[in-house]
Every structure is written in C-alpha cells, then in structure tokens.
Amino acid sequence: MKKWLPLLLSALLLTGCAAEDLPAVPDPGVTLPVFPHRQTYYADYDAGLVVGGSTVTAPAGADGGTVHYGNCYPGPAGKDYTDPKRYTFREYISGTTGMKWAPHTWQTRDDSYILGYTTTGFYDFVLNETGDGFTVMPEMAIAAPRDVTEQYVGRFGIAPGDTARAWLLELNPAACWDNGEKINADTYIYSYQQLLDGKMMNRRADSVYAGDFAIVGAKDYLYGKATWEQVGIVKDGEYRLVLVTEAPLRDPDFYAPYYLMDTYLVYEPLWESCKTFFDSRGNTVSRDDPDVASVTTRYATSLDTSISYGPYKLTYFELDKQITLERNENWYGYHDGRHLGQYQTDRISCQVISGHSTALLAFLSGDVDVIDLQSADMADFAGSPQLRYLPESYTTKLTFNTDAKALSARGAQVLSNVYFRKAFSLAIDRTRFAAAYTSAGEPGYGILNESYIYDPYRGLSYRRSDGGKNALVQLYQLEKFGKDAYDAITGYQPDLARGLMQLAYTQCVRSGLYDGESPITLTLSVYQSDDLYVQMFHFLQDALASACEGTGFAGKVQLQMAVDADYYATMESGLTDIIFSTWGGSSYDPYGVLYRCYCDAGVAEYPNQMEYGFDAGQVEVAITVDGERRRASLQTWARWCASDPGANIDGMAAFREYDAATRCNLYADLEFAYLSQYVVAPLYYRNAARLLSQKGDYPVKSYVDPVEFGGIRYYTFRYDDAEWENVKATLQY
C-alpha cells in the first residue's frame, strides 16, 4: 500500500477532486512526489532529496560580443551642471529607521538610497549616444580594465598561459572626498582591508570573496587563514590598482566593468572614529585591548558620520523626516569636461512619507516629482504622457519560518510541515493578487523574473529560456499542457491545496506536532499598516482559510498581521512566522542569487539568514549530467553556481567553464529544487508604473536595460525651483 498510495493521491488531486472525496492519506513517512514526471523531477521530503532533470553539457565558447566605452548620450544643450539656475529634484521614501548606507554594511534598497548618490563606481553603464542601448563610462578608473595576467605568473596561483585573472585599473587621479582629500591606491587598499576585516564581518564582504569576480585569498583573509600579501589586491603605483581573481573571468569584455561598478571606499579617519570594540563576552573594550573579538561601526548612519565621493553629498538627515543631498562641488565630474550634458540637478530633497495616499497628495501638490503608482491609481493616470513603465529584477514573496522549535513558542509549529506551506502557496491566486495590489506587477511563480539575463551580448532572459520555463512547469505539474505548459502556469490550484492541507493535518497529528484541536495563529509581519498592506493581508488570510476548508484544519487556523518596521531582522531571529520579502538586483548575474539570497543560511558568515530554520546544506540534489548522476547538497550546488571558492561538484568542471545554455539549464534545476521546499511562496514580479511630474523628464521614454531611462545623471528640468513654485498648482496629469 505504501508504494502506490502517494501516486494515487497525487493523481486524484491533479484531477481536482474535493477534499472530502480523497482516499485515506498515507502515513507521515510516505512521500508525495512533487509530480510524476517519469520519476525524474521529484522531491522526497523524508529523505531530504530532490531529483532534477538530465543535462548534456557544452564547453564555454569565445566572447559573444563587444562592449563600447565612452560613446555616451550627449544630453540636451545647456541642460547640465553648468546651468546657473537652481534645480531641486524631490522624491520620498517610506522610512529611515535603521538605515545604514556604508558601502561595507548596507543591506536593503532603502539603505542604498543615499549610497547611490554619494558614491561612484570604477565604471558605470550609461545611455549610449543614440539613447537606445548602453555604453560603459569610466569613472573612478580612467580606462577600460586591462588584462595583465601574464605579469603575475608564479603569483596567486597564476600559471603560464593563464588569462583574464589579473586586471589593472588605472585610477582617476582627480577623485577625492567631499572635503578635498585625494583618493589614491592607498585609499583602496585600506578600504578593501576594512571590508574584509574578520572582526567586523561586513555584510558586503561577499561581493569581494564570492562570485565570478572573487578575489584571490579574500575569503581566507576574512577568516584569518591568509595574510594580506596573499590577497589579490595589489598597489601598482599611486594611481594603479591590480585585482586578481580566483579564476578566469567569463566574457570579460562585459563582466569586468559590470563587476567593477562598486568601489567600497571608506574614509579612514571617520571610519576609525565610528568603531566600537567588544570582547568575546560582548563587553565594550578599547581598540588596543588584546581581547577584542568583534567590531561594529556607526559609519554612514547619520549626517556627522557620512562623507561623499560621488556627485552629491548628504547635507541634512532627520530620522523619519527628511534627507537632503546637494551637489558635491569637489566631485571630479564637474571639472573634467567628460560629464557635459549630465547632472543638471543641484539638490535632491527626499521626504519620509509612510502612506501611499499621503505621497500621492504630495505629488499632485507638486512637492514630490516622481511616484510609483498603485493599482487603484491607474484609472486616473494610465493615459498620462508622464507615465513610465519600469521593469524591475525584484520578486516579492512570502517567506516562511520553518523552524519547529522557534515556531512552537507561538503555537505555530505546523508551519514547519512542507505540505502545509505548499498548500498555502497553491491557494493564492497570484493573478488576482498582482492585479489588485500592484500597478504594473506580474504574477510571480519563481525566484527570478524576466529581467535576469543569462547571455549579456544577446540579452537573453533566464526566465524565458527553455530551462527557466521547465523549472516552473515541473514545479507546478503542468507537463500535460505540452508546448503551452509555461503559459498555463498560474500557481493557483485550490483543490490540490486542500488535499495537501489534509495531508499536512494528518502528518502533524500523527507525528505529535499538533494536537488536532487547538487554535493556531500565524503571524504575518509587515512594514506598515497602510491600506495596501491591510488589503493584501486580508487576501492572504482568505487564501489560507480556503486551503483549510474541508480539512482537519478548518476553523482552527488564522492569520494575524503585525506591524514591524524591522521585520527582516525579526525573521532573521526567528521571532515571527511569515514576512513579505523582496530580493533582486544584479540582473546580469542570475547565478549568484540562489546562494547569496536563499541558500547561505547555516554557513559561518550568515548563520541565520532570511529563511529561518531552512538549511540548504541538509537538502540533497541529484542531477544527471552527461549521463552520470551528480549529487551534492543544494547549498553546495548553489555555491558552485555562484563561483564561491572551494565549492566543487565531483566529476564536474567549474560552473563558468560551461556554455551559457548549459549553465542556464543546470541553474534551472536548482531553482526547481529550492522552490520545491516551499520555504518561500513567490507572489509577484515587481515592475513599477512610475509617474513623473511635469517639472522634468528623462531623455528616453522606453526602458533601456540596464540603465533604465537615464537616471539622475540625465534627468532634465522644464522649470527651475522658482518657476515651479509658480506653476505647480495649475498642472494636470
């Protein structure tokens, strides 16, 4: 009986039978396959095993294209930083509590808000001269990165004939801090040393020690296993820096400048003054104490702890009230003649506005120059010539706490049952959710959306690849639709959800996880209690009730909303049950997302990341590669795809050594493996319907990946500040 009943149950559920018509559920130890696909793709939850598909590999080929430097969009004549009139760009964010915008420690998109104006990368991707694509503009470097690998043969593990590992950056000698102090190679050496300080364990250290541009020795230095001389960051003159990677860089023409868009600079006197030192017992000690065990910093958390090396500098910061940035006159770009046609904005005024309705009123009053619309706004503004549709790389999900012990403190331990989570997920009508609560969002079914590119030269989307489509077709059991299977995905299977919820009930009772009768309250923590959050909460509350209908959980499970401005940290501590989480960014680097955002919990640097209780190191994934079964933990596979040093799969070459299609297909199997655990329930892919005031505009109306519409660099004004005050009340949208 145990051998066939799960398959029978699965088949019945797929036909849409009602929960009360189901046969007896199997014993808790019997696995319900994710779907019966020739016994190829499935998840055996009891064994902790996910079996993926079969891939035939191909080796990496030559570079697929050419990236141009310097042929930038010229900008309208007179609409740049030389304009003598005064121009203020006004925007808003929802809160500043807990913001930290240091290059080494920032975490959220709100954290990076100030950072985006006050720092400059080695290179930036900007609009090309015709406004229909991108080009690379050297910034803190003055020329394209140069491959000097042959000069380092015999060092850093470089052998004769190696290429694409050592990169010379000729630094911009005009770069300086906003106080006028020069930035040179020594500044970079100090900043990288601080970024990799093992007693600080900075959040952004993985940007240097992990991924395809991982620096030789960086991770070992972080963990005290190497000296600085063994780290591939070398001063080669006052304004020359060499970065040496662990492995050859794939498609370096594109990815060298792409991975060098950040500089991680900190100003030594201020950085040092902001440090606090602790011993192993958590007591504050002096910096010279021999028992210093950890170090924290207040750098870039207030006006007096901030300094700029970008086009703007912070001039005012009032917690949860106001942020003001003004032109940094010491930024080299205003003096080098290379930035004509750019940066007409003199001042950026950012209010903190917590509610959308309040923000919309501010926009219509002319006090805010840009606003992201919600679905309810579209009836009024869908036809506005000032409306811009902005694809984003972010996916919003429900993230579940899966740790039974942590959950039991609140009586929420049923959430640790995978079938309970899966049932909840499949009870959510994502199409209705996206339509009701977003202005331009799309129903989301995976962790990566169509903004992620796996071939940068041809602009090929991971989500639209055969592998990316197959991952979700397999997850949602839709192979029966054949070539139309991907387009048939909705993520909404209410009958299957109720069948799985009954299975979850039986398992929880039989295993002693639940007594079968007690009321269960699951807490969904949200950032704020504005109308949109309340509406989304009620939608999800109804979905959960629907999944429980006709099962043993009927009438016993309810969802409650808790307002928590720091809910990410609350989840990281295991102190709530469910949160909305949104991950994205680096749309040309899809292969680092799975590890760094979802599968790094349990490793030393991130012991309790977002998915509290889920350890990807405990889930085994088997994939057939070139006819051979390859098996490793999901965490190891994810690390391997992210080119994390030391992550190897027996019998396979390094991930970067395969061609684009092979990498895409392998990664898709891992996305399936992660999603099959239902630690997260994707809800929607975030896109913005962005309304601009008539004060100004961007140079292009069609979105250009990866430079959007040109950004603040190319935003130009129709009215200066004085003129705007006279006309803003008379304009219509």
Side-chain angles (χ1 to χ4, degrees), residues 81-220:
Y81 60 87
T82 65
D83 191 331
K85 293 183 178 180
R86 180 77 170 172
Y87 300 94
T88 299
F89 184 72
R90 302 179 186 275
E91 52 189 340
Y92 72 96
I93 59 175
S94 57
T96 57
T97 301
M99 278 181 66
K100 45 188 175 185
W101 52 92
H104 296 182
T105 59
W106 72 273
Q107 295 188 44
T108 69
R109 188 158 66 165
D110 280 351
D111 285 347
S112 67
Y113 170 77
I114 293 173
L115 199 62
Y117 291 122
T118 60
T119 65
T120 305
F122 289 113
Y123 305 96
D124 199 6
F125 283 66
V126 304
L127 284 172
N128 64 14
E129 58 191 348
T130 54
D132 58 359
F134 66 82
T135 187
V136 176
M137 187 169 188
E139 290 287 1
M140 295 294 277
I142 58 172
R146 183 153 57 92
D147 185 353
V148 294
T149 305
E150 63 179 9
Q151 298 177 21
Y152 286 83
V153 170
R155 297 181 62 186
F156 304 113
I158 294 176
D162 285 353
T163 61
R165 285 196 56 198
W167 299 94
L168 172 65
L169 306 179
E170 296 183 53
L171 304 175
N172 190 335
C176 63
W177 299 100
D178 66 31
N179 62 8
E181 289 190 30
K182 288 287 188 180
I183 292 172
N184 57 21
D186 290 329
T187 315
Y188 287 94
I189 295 295
Y190 171 79
S191 298
Y192 278 119
Q193 287 174 336
Q194 294 301 301
L195 177 63
L196 294 169
D197 187 330
K199 293 182 179 178
M200 300 193 78
M201 297 304 289
N202 291 303
R203 178 65 181 85
R204 292 294 151 187
D206 66 347
S207 301
V208 173
Y209 72 69
D212 284 345
F213 208 83
I215 301 297
V216 167
K219 192 168 188 177
D220 287 340

Side-chain angles (χ1 to χ4, degrees), residues 282-513:
N283 300 315
T284 304
V285 296
S286 70
R287 70 171 60 236
D288 300 320
D289 193 299
D291 295 326
V292 170
S294 62
V295 183
T296 63
T297 181
R298 296 181 298 108
Y299 190 89
T301 57
S302 62
L303 179 61
D304 63 341
T305 59
S306 296
I307 191 168
S308 167
Y309 59 96
Y312 299 96
K313 62 183 179 181
L314 187 67
T315 57
Y316 186 83
F317 181 87
E318 184 177 358
L319 189 66
D320 289 336
K321 293 289 186 181
Q322 175 73 33
I323 300 169
T324 305
L325 300 109
E326 300 187 55
R327 190 184 300 283
N328 171 17
E329 296 295 349
N330 280 323
W331 185 57
Y332 61 84
Y334 300 132
H335 312 284
D336 62 7
R338 297 190 305 120
H339 295 77
L340 293 172
Q342 303 174 19
Y343 295 108
Q344 189 183 18
T345 301
D346 295 290
R347 180 172 176 263
I348 298 156
S349 175
C350 180
Q351 301 179 56
V352 176
I353 304 177
S354 60
H356 176 74
S357 58
T358 305
L360 184 58
L361 287 174
F363 175 85
L364 294 174
S365 300
D367 297 324
V368 168
D369 297 330
V370 60
I371 187 169
D372 285 349
L373 300 179
Q374 294 183 355
S375 56
D377 306 323
M378 296 304 289
D380 294 324
F381 303 112
S384 172
Q386 293 295 102
L387 188 63
R388 303 288 179 268
Y389 288 98
L390 180 71
E392 296 184 343
S393 62
Y394 294 86
T395 299
T396 293
K397 313 162 297 297
L398 291 181
T399 290
F400 301 118
N401 183 337
T402 64
D403 185 81
K405 184 177 180 180
L407 292 164
S408 65
R410 299 180 293 277
Q413 59 270 22
V414 296
L415 201 57
S416 66
N417 181 279
V418 66
Y419 296 115
F420 187 97
R421 302 193 302 270
K422 182 175 180 179
F424 190 177
S425 177
L426 295 182
I428 300 169
D429 187 338
R430 289 153 171 81
T431 302
R432 283 182 55 213
F433 190 92
Y437 307 121
T438 75
S439 59
E442 302 171 89
Y445 314 115
I447 60 174
L448 300 181
N449 65 18
E450 294 188 20
S451 294
Y452 279 91
I453 305 299
Y454 76 91
D455 184 331
Y457 297 112
R458 292 186 291 169
L460 298 180
S461 165
Y462 164 81
R463 187 78 282 151
R464 281 285 170 179
S465 70
D466 288 344
K469 289 180 178 179
N470 182 61
L472 299 186
V473 169
Q474 304 295 353
L475 181 73
Y476 294 106
Q477 309 170 319
L478 297 176
E479 287 182 288
K480 63 184 179 182
F481 290 97
K483 63 182 179 62
D484 299 319
Y486 182 75
D487 294 328
I489 295 172
T490 66
Y492 180 51
Q493 297 169 287
D495 292 330
L496 178 55
R498 284 188 286 272
L500 290 168
M501 192 62 82
Q502 179 60 33
L503 177 60
Y505 176 83
T506 301
Q507 286 194 351
C508 289
V509 171
R510 290 183 180 177
S511 66
L513 193 66

Side-chain angles (χ1 to χ4, degrees), residues 570-582:
T570 303
M571 176 59 92
E572 288 173 357
S573 301
L575 298 178
T576 190
D577 305 325
I578 310 169
I579 62 170
F580 288 111
S581 66
T582 302

Side-chain angles (χ1 to χ4, degrees), residues 51-82:
V51 176
S54 179
T55 297
V56 177
T57 68
D63 292 347
T66 300
V67 172
H68 297 284
Y69 282 75
N71 57 327
C72 304
Y73 186 80
K79 294 283 192 175
D80 62 14
Y81 60 87
T82 65

Side-chain angles (χ1 to χ4, degrees), residues 271 322 384 553 618:
W271 179 263
Q322 175 73 33
S384 172
F553 284 124
Q618 299 301 310

